[in-house]
Amino acid sequence: MSTPDPTRELPKSWDPAEHEARLYQRWVDAGYFTADASSEKPAFSIVIPPPNVNGSLHMGHAYEHVLMDALSRRRRMQGYEVLWLPGMDHAAIAMQTMVERKLAAEGLTRDDLGREAFIERVWAEKAEIGDNIGEQMRRLGDGVDWTRERFTMDDGLSRAVQTVFKKMYDDGLIYRAERLVNWSPVLKTAISDIEVSYADVEGELVSFRYGSLDDGQPHIVVATTRVETMLGDTAIAVHPDDERYAALIGTELDHPFVDRKIPVIADDYVDPEFGSGAVKITPAHDPNDFAIGQRHDLPMPTIMDDEARIADTGTEFDGMDRFEARVKVREALAAQGRIVKEVRPYLHSVGHSERTGEPIEPRLSMQWWVRVESLAKSAGDAVRNGDTVIHPTSMESRWFGWVDNMYDWCISRQLWWGHRIPIWYGPDGDIVCVGPDEQAPEGYVQETDVLDTWFSSGLWPFSTLGWPEQTAELEKFYPTSVLVTGYDILFFWVARMMMFGTSMGPQVDDQPQVPFHNLFLHGLVRDEHGRKMSKSKGNGIDPLDWVERFGADALRFTLARGANPGSDISVGEDHAQSSRNFATKLYNATKFAMMNGADATGELPDRDTLTEADRWILDRLDQVLADADAGFEAYEFSKACESLYHFAWDEVCDWYLELAKVQFAENDENRSRATSLVLGEVLDKLLRLLHPVMPFVTEVLWQALTGEESVVIAPWPQVQSADADPVAARHIDDLQRLITEVRRFRSDQGLRPGQRVAAEIDGLDVAGLERSRPYLDSLARLEGAGDDFAATATIDVRLSAATVTVRIDTSGTVDVAAERKRLAKDLAAAEKELSSTTAKLGNEQFLSKAPDHVVAKIRERQRVATEEAERIGAALNALGGS
């Protein structure tokens, strides 16, 4: 190692704002994050789940970015050639909606501009706002390779999209058909399931009568919350075993408004116990009805246009909005005497467009589809065969539940912004699919629809590496090492990538490869009360707000400390403040250690020459290193961070630094040198272990401690080969317990923290702590007993091998009468709390009615009150007197 510059002093305190931007730019300029595809190092690669280009990073993004960065930084330190590839998604619906909203404010529509001018406008908006996310990533400390940043609509990725579409079309995996889709009347396009959010809506349940109004003549009663859809009814279904309707099965009933006969059909789907046991079938506007319509070969008339207005029914309702028609149809049915029950409120779940907020309309529509059966099988087999490992494994059942039961995928969207489907229509009805190096025949017109965004993002792991060209990046970094993403898009995005990768992607020995070897699924970020963050609840947290207030390291450590595979994480300001305090503690402790001679540049002395305190902290360092390695390897960030946190705070800062001060004070040159080297070794490795999660403060401290270039490229610590010393560990544990008990006694007696008191101690030699008196005197503020020593209190501390007795003379240091009065007051309060909680817990009526969490809270209060009463009583006894 280089020699640290002794003239380079650390600032008085840790202020993240003074360092973060400078450090990050230095890392980028130095090329630390730029991957070398020609490197002989083993490869480690992650592609970023691309955020939408029109948005900004929310706390969920920050969460997974921290985890990806921690994995990348650690692998870089372990000697891997690391590629963490950044990029953004064109977000077809979100981006088009945003631009159309801006046009509306100008009094324009996209039709006013025309397709070409509108797309130019979207590109202009993208250029204006696209840098926002990149700046946020820099503020978080994301160690991405900016030289390889990609966008789902750049030329290379567009070529990959066209290549895959052409191959799938030629292989018969892409087809055009009229099917039921989620339709957004505002956007006037089909949307995917992930773009539909469900909410309970107070509607009305309308029961009306098909057939004769005479009870003695054929008729059936059905109920619906969307009575306007009855204009598209083409059947009434009953259960085949329902005797009430046996005679009607196969007959037909007149439609009240349309010149159409409504057959009564039998289908096992119908629940005879629900409602009247009969259901109206509207195949073009309900998923379940569509399935029944297919089974029974029913007509499927679409009764709404692309804006959800009633159309082509030949009735008085044509031209009405669906909600207006809902009222008018009900009124018309009532006028005919067909409403058989009073219309009543009915709470039911309704899907809404996530982007525009209106209820979606299930609608029969001509769309482009992917035939998924073979693709889904290959995606499922990749996990079954272990080619891709899901973390946590408990998510496998959800994965198989989806891919083993997948429906064909609607990939067309009626938008202008996006990858335009490379299908061209000829004047005679011919259809041609055009590949990336092909031209459509003259006179052919291209399909107006664009592809679902998930189609292009499904190619992300290999399209970003240059495929379909055989690039050096593809050769080096594909398949990628791990995908880090939320479990909530396991089906929508991850399944698409697995289907494309295992069926269409880059091949080795003529076999497609999985897109990633490991799939780490993290949970959602929730607020401190466990609620999902949302704008409507007002509980969302801007990650950059926390960066401003607490520093990037504090944000990062807060998120990583709560991260475990598949589990949600709850965070609040208290967590961020705690993490900021940890960064400050680390900074102050390292600065203090350096001021006292900590040296990370020399070789450690032989273990035989070290003190038990030295051997203990080095052994603990090895154990914590092993724990951190195990946590990171298993994607159990919480376990790794907890281990590092408690080692740094509880053992290094609270104990070893204090023990080291005693060793420095002995004025033994060899002892001081050994202590400085041990302290330097511990801090050097600790800072390297914390760097993946807390890159900024560790960089400043490690550079100052070691004099080296950067902790970013420092080697990951290794466990020492020496055997652990269990005797030293036991002795230090006993010493900590002894000091803690004396400190507790001092606190209970009201002694000032720095006030020294005389003490006699028996049993140190039997306990194996005969050389520990200097530590005890320094850390417990004791001093030797003089000739006039007279013990006023005795403390017996049971240790692992013996009981140590500490006799203390507090005369002249404590106002015994005042202290007894204070303690008596505290004891009365503790006993009152104990009495109150005991009474409540003894009340059977209370216990039978109170929620479990309330009872648990009272039990905890009772436990604390009991301990307080015992502690204060012991303190009173130690004072003596009456």
Side-chain angles (χ1 to χ4, degrees):
M1 289 187 175
S2 303
T3 302
D5 182 355
T7 65
R8 179 182 177 182
E9 294 185 0
L10 290 167
K12 181 179 179 180
S13 60
W14 173 242
D15 182 358
E18 289 185 8
H19 303 278
E20 291 177 351
R22 172 184 59 82
L23 290 175
Y24 187 84
Q25 193 57 49
R26 178 179 174 272
W27 294 335
V28 173
D29 293 343
Y32 296 153
F33 306 143
T34 304
D36 180 2
S38 65
S39 169
E40 294 184 359
K41 296 178 182 178
F44 180 81
S45 55
I46 297 179
V47 291
I48 203 167
N52 290 348
V53 68
N54 70 310
S56 59
L57 299 184
H58 53 63
M59 192 60 86
H61 288 123
Y63 181 38
E64 69 184 13
H65 282 217
V66 166
L67 305 184
M68 285 185 282
D69 195 36
L71 293 172
S72 299
R73 288 179 182 268
R74 177 169 173 266
R75 285 292 191 236
R76 187 177 293 110
M77 297 172 76
Q78 288 179 314
Y80 287 77
E81 191 62 39
V82 173
L83 170 61
W84 182 18
L85 192 147
M88 289 179 285
D89 191 282
H90 64 279
I93 289 179
M95 193 69 174
Q96 178 157 324
T97 301
M98 185 195 75
V99 175
E100 289 199 74
R101 193 178 297 123
K102 289 188 175 184
L103 287 175
E106 301 169 15
L108 298 171
T109 67
R110 61 172 170 170
D111 293 316
D112 294 330
L113 270 65
R115 184 168 192 144
E116 187 174 339
F118 176 79
I119 291 174
E120 288 178 1
R121 174 68 179 265
V122 181
W123 275 109
E125 293 284 349
K126 184 264 180 187
E128 183 176 332
I129 66 177
D131 291 338
N132 179 44
I133 289 176
E135 178 57 29
Q136 289 180 303
M137 291 170 62
R138 289 173 168 83
R139 295 289 303 279
L140 293 174
D142 287 1
V144 297
D145 185 347
W146 290 111
T147 69
R148 290 181 167 88
E149 186 176 10
R150 304 305 298 268
F151 178 55
T152 48
M153 284 186 64
D154 66 27
D155 290 342
L157 272 68
S158 296
R159 181 178 179 84
V161 168
Q162 198 171 355
T163 299
V164 167
F165 188 98
K166 168 73 172 173
K167 177 172 174 49
M168 294 179 71
Y169 181 83
D170 290 347
D171 290 347
L173 294 175
I174 289 179
Y175 64 95
R176 192 169 184 243
E178 193 174 37
R179 298 278 183 82
L180 207 66
V181 296
N182 298 314
W183 187 265
S184 166
V186 172
L187 297 170
K188 293 188 284 189
T189 181
I191 60 177
S192 69
D193 289 343
I194 199 173
E195 288 148 346
V196 178
S197 57
Y198 287 85
D200 286 340
V201 172
E202 188 72 53
E204 59 181 24
L205 187 66
V206 178
S207 296
F208 68 95
R209 183 172 185 147
Y210 267 115
S212 175
L213 297 177
D214 182 348
D215 290 346
Q217 298 299 313
H219 67 276
I220 292 182
V221 174
V222 294
T224 179
T225 57
R226 299 199 306 148
V227 70
E228 73 281 3
T229 63
M230 63 87 61
L231 297 171
D233 284 357
T234 57
I236 298 168
V238 298
H239 194 276
D241 298 331
D242 193 335
E243 295 181 358
R244 293 173 295 176
Y245 303 113
L248 288 175
I249 295 173
T251 65
E252 293 181 333
L253 302 174
D254 290 331
H255 192 286
F257 306 118
V258 181
D259 184 17
R260 183 166 61 241
K261 296 288 187 179
I262 306 297
V264 180
I265 63 174
D267 195 282
D268 289 336
Y269 166 78
V270 180
D271 180 1
E273 302 298 323
F274 183 78
S276 67
V279 294
K280 57 186 286 298
I281 305 301
T282 318
H285 293 276
D286 181 275
N288 296 317
D289 294 3
F290 177 74
I292 292 175
Q294 286 186 311
R295 286 198 292 273
H296 295 269
D297 196 25
L298 296 176
M300 299 186 182
T302 298
I303 62 163
M304 297 184 199
D305 62 15
D306 59 5
E307 294 182 274
R309 293 174 302 200
I310 304 300
D312 300 326
T313 66
T315 67
E316 62 187 283
F317 310 109
D318 281 356
M320 293 182 183
D321 173 83
R322 55 184 165 158
F323 301 114
E324 179 187 2
R326 183 168 300 172
V327 175
K328 296 300 184 181
V329 169
R330 174 170 52 79
E331 291 177 345
L333 287 170
Q336 290 186 16
R338 294 189 176 278
I339 302 295
V340 298
K341 290 184 181 178
E342 181 180 349
V343 175
R344 57 188 175 88
Y346 189 79
L347 189 68
H348 61 127
S349 182
V350 175
H352 292 72
S353 168
E354 195 172 63
R355 295 294 172 192
T356 47
E358 87 281 12
I360 62 105
E361 183 64 40
R363 182 172 184 261
L364 196 61
S365 177
M366 184 65 75
Q367 302 285 343
W368 286 94
W369 302 81
V370 168
R371 209 179 307 276
V372 300
E373 183 178 4
S374 63
L375 307 180
K377 183 179 185 304
S378 65
D381 289 346
V383 174
R384 289 188 180 91
N385 298 337
D387 298 326
T388 293
V389 179
I390 295 178
H391 308 268
T393 55
S394 59
M395 288 287 176
E396 286 185 0
S397 59
R398 183 181 297 190
W399 169 257
F400 293 128
W402 278 332
V403 298
D404 292 347
N405 299 280
M406 193 180 295
Y407 296 107
D408 284 2
W409 170 22
C410 176
I411 57 171
S412 48
R413 299 291 180 265
Q414 289 65 55
L415 303 170
W416 286 356
W417 172 247
H419 291 101
R420 196 164 173 180
I421 291 178
I423 290 290
W424 295 72
Y425 301 104
D428 298 324
D430 294 337
I431 296 179
V432 174
C433 182
V434 176
D437 298 314
E438 301 171 349
Q439 293 292 326
E442 188 174 347
Y444 277 56
V445 178
Q446 188 174 2
E447 168 68 68
T448 57
D449 289 354
V450 300
L451 286 166
D452 177 13
T453 299
W454 299 106
F455 192 98
S456 55
S457 60
L459 311 181
W460 186 253
F462 51 89
S463 64
T464 52
L465 297 175
W467 188 90
E469 306 302 324
Q470 295 304 307
T471 64
E473 285 78 8
L474 204 61
E475 178 71 21
K476 179 70 176 177
F477 296 111
Y478 190 84
T480 60
S481 305
V482 59
L483 176 74
V484 178
T485 192
Y487 63 66
D488 53 328
I489 57 173
L490 177 61
F491 173 70
F492 300 103
W493 184 43
V494 179
R496 274 41 170 177
M497 287 188 287
M498 287 287 281
M499 288 194 301
F500 282 137
T502 56
S503 300
M504 299 287 148
Q507 298 186 352
V508 174
D509 297 329
D510 297 326
Q511 292 297 318
Q513 302 294 294
V514 292
F516 29 80
H517 291 301
N518 291 279
L519 170 58
F520 167 56
L521 297 169
H522 61 74
L524 304 177
V525 182
R526 299 182 179 274
D527 70 11
E528 57 193 327
H529 304 294
R531 300 174 303 177
K532 186 176 180 180
M533 291 185 181
S534 69
K535 291 181 181 179
S536 61
K537 293 176 183 174
N539 64 341
I541 301 171
D542 182 350
L544 290 194
D545 176 55
W546 277 14
V547 171
E548 292 283 349
R549 296 167 59 197
F550 308 115
D553 288 324
L555 168 71
R556 292 168 62 103
F557 192 75
T558 297
L559 295 172
R561 191 178 181 186
N564 273 317
S567 300
D568 291 349
I569 171 178
S570 295
V571 297
E573 284 199 7
D574 288 349
H575 301 96
Q577 290 170 351
S578 174
S579 297
R580 178 192 60 192
N581 294 344
F582 179 49
T584 300
K585 181 86 167 180
L586 193 66
Y587 183 87
N588 292 340
T590 305
K591 183 177 180 181
F592 173 82
M594 292 177 63
M595 291 171 59
N596 283 273
D599 185 354
T601 65
E603 294 292 328
L604 284 176
D606 291 340
R607 281 177 66 91
D608 293 342
T609 67
L610 300 177
T611 65
E612 286 191 325
D614 296 336
R615 294 197 295 275
W616 162 74
I617 198 65
L618 289 173
D619 291 345
R620 285 295 302 130
L621 175 63
D622 276 353
Q623 182 57 57
V624 167
L625 170 54
D627 292 343
D629 274 335
F632 283 127
E633 289 296 327
Y635 306 101
E636 294 174 341
F637 296 87
S638 177
K639 290 184 179 179
C641 290
E642 281 295 307
S643 181
L644 290 169
Y645 173 86
H646 288 293
F647 175 69
W649 193 300
D650 302 342
E651 296 178 297
V652 176
C653 297
D654 285 357
W655 285 108
Y656 185 69
L657 278 179
E658 298 301 315
L659 298 173
K661 280 197 292 186
V662 177
Q663 295 178 180
F664 281 129
E666 292 180 5
N667 294 320
D668 180 319
E669 185 176 343
N670 290 333
R671 175 62 50 79
S672 295
R673 176 60 178 160
T675 302
S676 71
L677 290 169
V678 171
L679 191 52
E681 172 82 358
V682 171
L683 290 173
D684 168 25
K685 286 188 173 179
L686 175 60
L687 292 171
R688 282 187 274 161
L689 288 169
L690 283 167
H691 173 73
V693 178
M694 305 179 75
F696 294 106
V697 68
T698 55
E699 174 78 320
V700 170
L701 294 175
W702 193 81
Q703 286 180 331
L705 177 70
T706 67
E708 293 285 2
E709 179 183 343
S710 174
V711 70
V712 176
I713 54 173
W716 185 252
Q718 300 296 314
V719 173
Q720 296 184 72
S721 58
D723 292 332
D725 186 342
V727 175
R730 186 175 72 249
H731 286 170
I732 296 301
D733 182 64
D734 283 344
L735 179 61
Q736 290 174 349
R737 194 180 315 169
L738 181 56
I739 292 170
T740 299
E741 288 302 317
V742 174
R743 284 175 170 173
R744 182 178 291 119
F745 171 82
R746 290 174 57 95
S747 175
D748 288 343
Q749 301 306 313
L751 290 172
R752 296 188 305 277
Q755 184 177 9
R756 290 190 175 274
V757 294
E760 286 183 342
I761 305 177
D762 293 335
L764 287 179
D765 52 345
V766 180
L769 302 178
E770 60 272 13
R771 291 190 294 273
S772 297
R773 182 64 194 255
Y775 299 123
L776 190 58
D777 286 352
S778 177
L779 275 63
R781 296 295 188 267
L782 303 178
E783 60 186 14
D787 294 338
D788 58 347
F789 176 82
T792 61
T794 299
I795 311 168
D796 290 324
V797 184
R798 177 63 186 170
L799 304 181
S800 61
T803 296
V804 171
T805 300
V806 182
R807 289 183 291 276
I808 294 179
D809 180 6
T810 59
S811 59
T813 61
V814 176
D815 183 338
V816 175
E819 188 60 20
R820 285 190 64 83
K821 185 176 181 180
R822 182 184 71 81
L823 289 172
K825 182 179 179 181
D826 291 346
L827 180 60
E831 288 176 340
K832 182 179 179 181
E833 170 74 352
L834 180 59
S835 175
S836 171
T837 53
T838 300
K840 282 189 176 181
L841 294 173
N843 186 332
E844 292 297 332
Q845 187 175 4
F846 167 78
L847 292 177
S848 65
K849 294 182 178 180
D852 290 344
H853 72 276
V854 172
V855 175
K857 188 173 183 179
I858 293 174
R859 290 192 192 282
E860 176 62 14
R861 284 171 52 196
Q862 182 191 48
R863 183 190 67 78
V864 171
T866 301
E867 292 179 355
E868 278 292 282
E870 292 174 352
R871 180 185 67 80
I872 297 169
L876 278 168
N877 292 334
L879 284 175
S882 59

